[in-house]
Amino acid sequence: MTKLPPIDLRSDTVTRPDKTMRNAMADAEVGDDVLDGDPTMRALEERVAGLLGTAAALWVPTGCMGNAIALMLHLRRGDVFLAAEHAHVLHNELGTAAWLAGGMPRTLPWTDGAGRLSPSDVAEAAAAEGPYYSLRTTLLCLENTHNAAGGVVTPPDEHALLVSAASAGGLRVHLDGARLWHAAIAMEVPPAALTVGVDTVQVCLSKGLGAPVGSVIAGSVEFIAEARRVRKMLGGGVRQGGVLAAAGLVALDRIDQLGKDHANATFLAKGLVELGWEVDLPQTNIVLASVADVRSTLERLASQGVLATPMAGRVRFVTHRDVTRSDLRTVLRRIAR
């Protein structure tokens, strides 16, 4: 039997740099970013800070490192941090919040719907008191979009209520915005509208935007100065980083194109529903399907050349710039078999 060419819907990180991006990388102006700075890296960081409405920003190799740096600087050992059920910082980052940052996680339920926290739950958790030997709750971690909930977005008004509840309880706020660009496009608001009131934010350049590597953390000038030290500690300092930053600058030019991925995700979801699958219509580019047996379903899909991943007990399909509408029609035909 002829092996079918795979159509990769495992993640929007599987995209490959196109010729425009590769040319920008090859032509990038560079310096030593560990010693006295790289001009292209500075340009990228300044542009991201402007988009997010923060005073400063810092390139990091991965989103996981960005989140780890933020938690290491926000938490003292033994501090409690709050995060939504199935948050990426809890389940998909190898426990760095505990291992490196020394934090004690407390999971909050999706009281207001899939991937959505309730401000009252945040306020109640922040207000918990006890004797001196009780754990201290000091940080709220938000995630927008919420990966495990199927790319669900948190609108600006809900975001503001959550940040207000955290602030009233004396908590700092870190936003895992790996797919914040997607949330902004889905709600037709500038990215800075989704970072109001947070202390720090992390965004990815490799999720849907086509960059081969890289994320950016942003916050105050003082935070970024300390973050640079921790990045070096974790092995994230790069020398001629402008080669990578150039890809990030091209990626930022493509934020407006993410809407096509959202439309393709909706097309795929509706096609799966017509085939009898139990699927929620997506808000962005992640489609989650409920199946009886995730492992065997993934194996059957792979045998038909359709690559997907498990996520929170469901099958996850992610649309991206390297998958066309024609590819998705092929996916539905293969699944229909």
Side-chain angles (χ1 to χ4, degrees):
M1 180 178 179
T2 303
K3 186 176 181 180
L4 296 170
I7 298 175
D8 200 340
L9 298 173
R10 291 174 298 170
S11 178
D12 46 8
T13 60
V14 301
T15 57
R16 299 181 179 183
D18 60 14
K19 185 175 182 179
T20 299
M21 185 172 286
R22 290 172 188 260
N23 288 342
M25 295 171 72
D27 295 338
E29 182 182 359
V30 298
D32 191 320
D33 196 46
V34 174
L35 294 180
D36 52 10
D38 180 295
T40 308
M41 193 70 86
R42 290 294 83 73
L44 172 66
E45 292 167 347
E46 290 172 4
R47 185 171 172 190
V48 171
L51 287 170
L52 299 177
T54 63
L58 180 73
W59 183 93
V60 290
T62 69
C64 289
M65 182 181 286
N67 286 336
I69 289 172
L71 267 63
M72 289 173 71
L73 291 174
H74 286 314
L75 298 171
R76 293 166 294 186
R77 291 195 173 275
D79 280 358
V80 172
F81 69 95
L82 309 176
E85 182 180 0
H86 294 298
H88 200 278
V89 294
L90 298 180
H91 293 276
N92 301 99
E93 299 184 11
L94 292 170
T96 52
W99 185 27
L100 297 178
M104 296 283 288
R106 177 176 174 183
T107 302
L108 297 181
W110 294 349
T111 303
D112 286 356
R116 297 173 119 155
L117 296 178
S118 163
S120 61
D121 287 345
V122 172
E124 180 180 352
E129 296 183 355
Y132 75 92
Y133 48 80
S134 300
L135 296 175
R136 297 173 297 194
T137 301
T138 62
L139 179 69
L140 171 65
C141 288
L142 300 175
E143 184 177 336
N144 196 12
T145 66
H146 196 298
N147 181 9
V152 167
V153 302
T154 301
D157 56 339
E158 293 184 19
H159 168 87
L161 291 173
L162 292 169
V163 170
S164 177
S167 178
L171 307 186
R172 291 179 292 275
V173 180
H174 172 64
L175 172 59
D176 178 0
R179 291 185 175 87
L180 191 72
W181 317 119
H182 283 276
I185 291 299
M187 291 182 286
E188 299 182 338
V189 300
L194 303 175
T195 66
V196 175
V198 305
D199 295 278
T200 52
V201 54
Q202 177 269 129
V203 290
C204 282
L205 303 168
S206 59
K207 289 184 169 67
L209 299 181
V213 62
S215 292
V216 180
I217 50 175
S220 67
V221 172
E222 295 77 14
F223 169 81
I224 292 302
E226 289 301 308
R228 190 178 301 278
R229 290 171 56 84
V230 178
R231 182 185 70 174
K232 178 67 172 173
M233 182 190 304
L234 297 178
V238 294
R239 300 294 179 172
Q240 286 68 42
V243 174
L244 300 174
L249 287 168
V250 174
L252 293 176
D253 291 337
R254 297 171 172 175
I255 293 174
D256 290 342
Q257 299 175 19
L258 294 174
K260 182 183 293 185
D261 297 336
H262 301 176
N264 279 340
T266 298
F267 173 83
L268 175 62
K270 289 181 177 179
L272 290 171
V273 169
E274 291 177 1
L275 293 175
W277 287 56
E278 182 181 341
V279 176
D280 297 328
L281 286 181
Q283 295 181 8
T284 53
N285 69 321
I286 298 176
V287 178
L288 293 182
S290 299
V291 297
D293 188 326
V294 172
R295 177 181 295 182
S296 65
T297 300
L298 291 172
E299 290 174 351
R300 292 199 304 275
L301 288 169
S303 72
Q304 293 298 313
V306 177
L307 305 184
T309 55
M311 175 58 67
R314 304 171 81 182
V315 171
R316 187 186 77 163
F317 305 90
V318 184
T319 55
H320 51 80
R321 61 183 298 107
D322 285 1
V323 171
T324 65
R325 183 64 62 91
S326 176
D327 291 330
L328 296 176
R329 292 190 181 96
T330 300
V331 165
L332 292 171
R333 285 195 297 271
R334 291 178 180 181
I335 292 175
R337 296 172 182 172

